[in-house]
Amino acid sequence: YEYCQENWPFVSDSGDPISIDLVLACPEGKNDLPEGTLFHLDPKELAAAKDKRDKVLFSGWSMLIEHSCEPNLIVGGKGESDYDNWRSTYATKDIRQGEKLTADYNCILWDRTESQNAAYCTCGSEKCVGAKKGFKYLSRNEQEERKLWGVTHMRDKGVSPQIGEALSSHVREHLRRMGDDVMSSSSSSSSSSSSSDDDSSSDDESSSDA
């Protein structure tokens, strides 16, 4: 599923995002929440993303997705050619009706320490890392595992994957600044693999001709 995120419009004089209270008006359907229901929206506490310039991005999806260290959704940038606003998400497993939608917040933001609940995690999964402070604070092994998430799940679906596809463009940009261009590394690896396959095929043909 592909969707667009927009800049969070509520900011302080210094440009920092501020939280808001949202009150529901007249319900339109029988399953809608009653009139007057109050939502407190704080982008630092939700699945809000950031662009490459560290501006906060938000969408309706940000309100629906909860955190899990073993999520049923992967949310990444649509592609390196799209600047920042577009996101793509896909299921990592079958999701039953009524089941919570989850993503790993550590793959969405580089640093979430501004969040009040960043220092702990209660997802309860077997792979829980104990916190959701952001990708920066994961161990090396935990980072490497998440770089490969998209490869594992997309390959199972018969789609050609890229390393780092499960990471937001914001996280990939921070890795790039540190000299780790995961998407380029993936392309190079794919090219090398294809070249090796071609060389092997040529050798086989030569042997056959001989």
Side-chain angles (χ1 to χ4, degrees):
Y1 179 75
E2 296 177 354
Y3 62 98
C4 185
Q5 293 184 308
E6 301 294 339
N7 291 104
W8 179 257
F10 309 103
V11 295
S12 65
D13 293 338
S14 61
D16 296 323
I18 57 177
S19 60
I20 63 167
D21 289 325
L22 177 68
V23 181
L24 294 186
C26 299
E28 297 182 359
K30 63 178 182 178
N31 294 322
D32 289 351
L33 295 171
E35 180 180 355
T37 300
L38 179 69
F39 285 97
H40 181 72
L41 300 182
D42 187 341
K44 296 190 297 295
E45 307 304 329
L46 300 171
K50 286 186 178 181
D51 63 17
K52 296 175 185 176
R53 298 160 296 177
D54 288 341
K55 298 291 184 181
V56 174
L57 299 172
F58 194 81
S59 75
W61 270 97
S62 306
M63 299 171 57
L64 298 175
I65 300 175
E66 298 185 13
H67 168 78
S68 174
C69 297
E70 197 171 3
N72 55 26
L73 291 175
I74 281 181
V75 180
K78 182 181 173 186
E80 292 298 288
S81 60
D82 300 287
Y83 187 61
D84 271 319
N85 289 39
W86 281 96
R87 294 287 181 271
S88 60
T89 183
Y90 53 88
T92 63
K93 61 188 77 173
D94 291 336
I95 301 175
R96 300 184 301 272
Q97 183 176 357
E99 185 178 351
K100 292 180 179 179
L101 301 178
T102 59
D104 188 344
Y105 285 10
N106 291 315
C107 291
I108 297 176
L109 289 182
W110 179 253
D111 188 338
R112 295 190 72 252
T113 51
E114 293 181 350
S115 168
Q116 295 180 0
N117 60 15
Y120 60 89
C121 177
T122 58
C123 73
S125 74
E126 293 181 358
K127 296 185 177 181
C128 181
V129 299
K132 41 188 184 292
K133 294 181 180 180
F135 195 84
K136 172 183 177 180
Y137 296 95
L138 296 173
S139 70
R140 182 68 176 174
N141 287 340
E142 290 163 352
Q143 289 184 354
E144 293 303 316
E145 179 184 3
R146 282 156 178 76
K147 288 179 187 179
L148 295 173
W149 270 1
V151 175
T152 304
H153 296 297
M154 294 299 280
R155 185 172 291 153
D156 291 343
K157 295 176 182 292
V159 179
S160 298
Q162 280 190 301
I163 297 173
E165 199 159 332
L167 308 178
S168 69
S169 55
H170 165 74
V171 170
R172 292 199 301 255
E173 177 64 19
H174 277 273
L175 287 172
R176 191 176 292 119
R177 293 174 190 173
M178 298 173 64
D180 184 357
D181 194 346
V182 290
M183 300 299 274
S184 293
S185 299
S186 172
S187 300
S188 300
S189 298
S190 298
S191 299
S192 299
S193 176
S194 298
S195 177
S196 298
D197 291 342
D198 292 340
D199 291 342
S200 297
S201 297
S202 297
D203 292 342
D204 290 343
E205 290 175 2
S206 299
S207 299
S208 177
D209 292 340

